[in-house]
Each structure stands twice: as C-alpha cells, then as structure tokens.
C-alpha cells in the first residue's frame, strides 16, 4: 500500500488543527514555551508559499485585473469594515476589537489555495489573489488597522510596515528565488509546502490557544461568535457579489474562499508582537474556524459539481 502523499495529509488539516487547538487549551504548559516560535513559523509558511509561485503567477493579474480588483476590494474593504461592525455590535472589549480588526485587515491566508483546489475553484486565480493581496498588505494592513482602531488604541504603523515586509515580502521573495533555481526537479514540492505550512499553522494555533487558555475560558464563546459572523460574511458576500459580477460559479467560489479565509497567522503574530495575547485571541480562533468552514464549503462545492456532472451525463444520455 502506498503511503499517503503530503498533499493528502495536508487536506486533513482542519481535523488536526482542531486537535492541536484542544491540546493547547488542555495542556497550556506544553505549548507556552514555544511563544517565541510564532514569527519564525509564519516566515516558514510564507517561504513555502513563495516556493509554489513563479513570476507567471503575477502576470495572470494583468489578464484578470477586473476580478483581481474585485477580490482586493472585498478583501481590504469588506473584511475590516465587517470586523469593526461585528466587534461593536457584540460590544467586544478594546483588545478583542483590535484583534478582530487585525484579522479583517490582513490578506487572504495561504490555506485558501489548498481549499480552492479542494472546492474545484480556479487555483491559478487563487494564487494570484493571495500573492497580490499579500504584497498589498504591507501597506493596507497597518493603514486599515490605524483607520479602524487607531482612534482608540495607538497603532505603530511604521513598525508594522517593517515587520510585515520582513515576515511576508522577504520570505516570499526568497521562496520564489529558490523555486526558480530548482525548477521542476522537486515534483512534489507543492504538496510538501502545503503540508509544512499546515503543520506550522497548527502549531501556531496551539501556542496561541495555550497563551490565552484563561481568556478563552471566559471570552471564548463571544469571540467564536464574532469569528463565525465575520468569516460567514466574507464567504457569503465574496461568493454572492462575485457571482453577480461574473455569473461564473468557479470564479465566485475562488474569490469567496480568498475573502473569507484570512492570513490569521499574521494577525496573531502582529497582535502578539505589538499589543497583547488577548488581542491575538480572535486570530487564533479564526485560524481554527476558517479552515473548518473552508473545508466544509469545499465539500459542498464538490458535491454540487458531482450532481451537476451527473445531471449533464443523464441529459446527454436521453
């Protein structure tokens, strides 16, 4: 019997991410000492993303610029505004409000590319949107955080710009450079990068949950509710508005996944570095939830595709 591929193991990420979150909550003393690894793990994730990218991926943005602009508008327009609105409707404390706004202000997560593949989406478009949004986040994330939270909580825009450049741009560029050198000599590269990124994200989740175990006991329910609403708006509006604009369900599901699945690991790292463990809590909860909801959406999309293919076959046979 052949061993499962790394990509197939990575597909199970929602399950073992949830398991690691539970482990972090139940055994916080095991994971708290790893707090210093959060940023290095994030750098590993972004480097792995760079390993799967080529300059041609960015050129696709030129050919699909209307969809890219729509995706970026939803990413950096809808998500931070929704985070601010949800936080105020639920009357979240200041640090939790800041954390949710950080989640809404970052780019789409790297896991969105895997989920787009599982959902039968346009993977090339997913990679393009993630790539462009990641680069745009160097400016957009600190500015949006300042815009929505800066009047109440000081936001170090300049320092955050430098940190995002170090955490995002440098490792992605380095990964792309290595990718160009090795070419096609590593056939299973994408699968191993997906697995490595999933493992790193899972450990970050466990560490952050461990650091916030006490807060989760008292604030976990309201944070989970805020995250579910925030993520649901991103997925629903991302799909609905894109479908209205394109009448293409494949593009619509791709944009929905990109908008709904945030780079919450980056939000966690920024909150942990500049603010407080409590501000990192929404990102930690989002890291678990958006992968579970994304995996569920992928299963629904594939089932609908299978039904559509069956009906098409049946109609052709008549």
């Amino acid at each position: 019997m052949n061993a499962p591929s790394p990509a197939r193991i990575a597909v199970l990420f929602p399950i073992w991410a949830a398991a690691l979150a539970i482990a972090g909550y139940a055994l916080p003393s095991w994971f708290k000492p790893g707090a210093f690894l959060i940023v290095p793990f994030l750098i590993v994730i972004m480097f792995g993303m760079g390993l799967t990218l080529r300059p041609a991926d960015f050129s696709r943005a030129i050919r699909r610029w209307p969809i890219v602009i729509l995706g970026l508008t939803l990413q950096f327009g809808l998500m931070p505004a929704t985070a601010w609105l949800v936080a105020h409707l639920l009357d979240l404390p200041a640090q939790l409000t800041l954390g949710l706004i950080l989640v809404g202000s970052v780019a789409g997560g790297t896991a969105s590319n895997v989920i787009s593949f599982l959902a039968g989406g346009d993977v090339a478009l997913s990679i393009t949107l993630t790539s462009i949004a990641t680069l745009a986040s160097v400016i957009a994330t600190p500015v949006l955080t300042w815009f929505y939270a800066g009047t109440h909580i000081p936001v170090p825009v300049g320092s955050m710009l430098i940190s995002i450049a170090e955490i995002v741009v440098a490792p992605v560029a380095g990964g792309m450079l290595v990718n160009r050198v090795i070419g096609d000599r590593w056939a299973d590269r994408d699968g191993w990068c997906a697995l490595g990124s999933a493992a790193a994200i899972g450990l970050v989740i466990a560490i952050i949950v461990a650091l916030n175990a006490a807060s989760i006991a008292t604030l976990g329910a309201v944070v989970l509710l805020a995250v579910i609403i925030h993520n649901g708006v991103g997925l629903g509006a991302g799909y609905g508005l894109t479908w209205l604009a394109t009448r293409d369900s494949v593009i619509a599901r791709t944009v929905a996944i990109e908008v709904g699945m945030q780079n919450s690991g980056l939000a966690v790292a920024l909150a942990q570095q500049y603010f407080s463990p409590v501000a990192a809590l929404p990102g930690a909860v989002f890291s678990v939830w958006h992968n579970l909801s994304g995996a569920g959406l992928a299963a629904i999309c594939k089932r609908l595709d299978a039904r559509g293919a069956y009906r098409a076959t049946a109609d052709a046979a008549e």
Side-chain angles (χ1 to χ4, degrees):
M1 181 180 295
N2 294 329
S5 69
R8 186 169 297 179
I9 297 173
V11 166
L12 301 175
F13 168 62
I15 297 174
W16 46 273
L20 281 168
I22 294 171
Y25 181 76
L27 302 166
S29 61
W30 288 24
F31 295 96
K32 281 184 178 180
F36 73 98
L37 293 172
I38 292 175
V39 171
F41 277 149
L42 192 59
I43 290 174
V44 168
I45 293 168
M46 303 312 296
F47 180 81
M49 176 180 165
L51 277 175
T52 68
L53 298 175
R54 295 180 173 85
D57 295 322
F58 290 91
S59 70
R60 292 190 182 96
I62 299 175
R63 299 195 298 271
R64 295 180 168 184
W65 61 267
I67 298 172
V68 172
I69 290 176
L70 174 61
L72 291 176
T73 300
L74 292 172
Q75 184 77 71
F76 295 117
L78 173 70
M79 293 304 280
T82 300
W84 180 88
L85 181 60
V86 169
H88 283 77
L89 287 175
L90 296 179
D91 196 23
L92 296 183
Q95 288 295 311
L96 290 180
T97 295
L98 174 59
L100 194 65
I101 288 171
L102 266 174
V103 173
S105 300
V106 294
T110 55
S112 64
N113 304 143
V114 177
I115 297 298
S116 289
F117 171 74
L118 296 175
D122 188 325
V123 178
L125 176 60
S126 175
I127 291 173
T128 298
L129 285 168
T130 302
S131 305
I132 300 299
T134 296
L135 292 177
S137 71
V138 175
I139 301 295
T141 297
V143 170
L144 287 168
T145 304
W146 168 82
F147 179 78
Y148 284 102
T151 56
H152 302 290
I153 300 172
V155 177
V157 176
S159 298
M160 287 175 66
L161 279 171
I162 295 172
S163 293
I164 294 175
E166 292 174 345
I167 293 171
V168 175
V169 178
V172 168
M176 291 181 67
L177 180 61
V178 173
N179 185 16
R180 182 166 185 173
V181 171
I182 63 177
D184 297 326
R185 291 192 289 275
W186 186 7
D188 206 14
R189 174 179 59 238
D190 289 6
W192 280 106
C193 288
L195 178 58
S197 294
I201 294 172
L203 289 171
V204 167
I205 292 170
I207 293 169
I208 293 299
V209 169
L211 292 171
N212 290 277
S215 298
I216 290 174
T218 56
L219 300 172
V222 69
V223 173
L224 178 60
L225 177 60
V227 163
I228 290 174
I229 296 173
H230 189 207
N231 172 247
V233 170
L235 292 174
Y239 186 94
L241 293 174
T242 305
W243 187 85
L244 287 174
T246 65
R247 292 296 196 273
D248 188 317
S249 64
V250 172
I251 292 177
R253 72 183 62 168
T254 304
V255 174
I257 290 167
E258 284 299 311
V259 174
M261 296 188 66
Q262 299 292 85
N263 190 346
S264 48
L266 178 59
V268 165
L270 290 172
Q272 186 70 22
Q273 182 172 353
Y274 289 107
F275 303 110
S276 69
V278 173
L281 183 57
V285 175
F286 203 99
S287 294
V288 178
W289 175 255
H290 79 157
N291 284 287
L292 296 174
S293 64
L297 176 62
I300 292 172
C301 289
K302 294 301 287 184
R303 180 169 294 185
L304 291 175
D305 287 347
R307 287 182 180 177
Y310 175 80
R311 289 174 180 172
T313 302
D315 292 342
E318 292 180 354

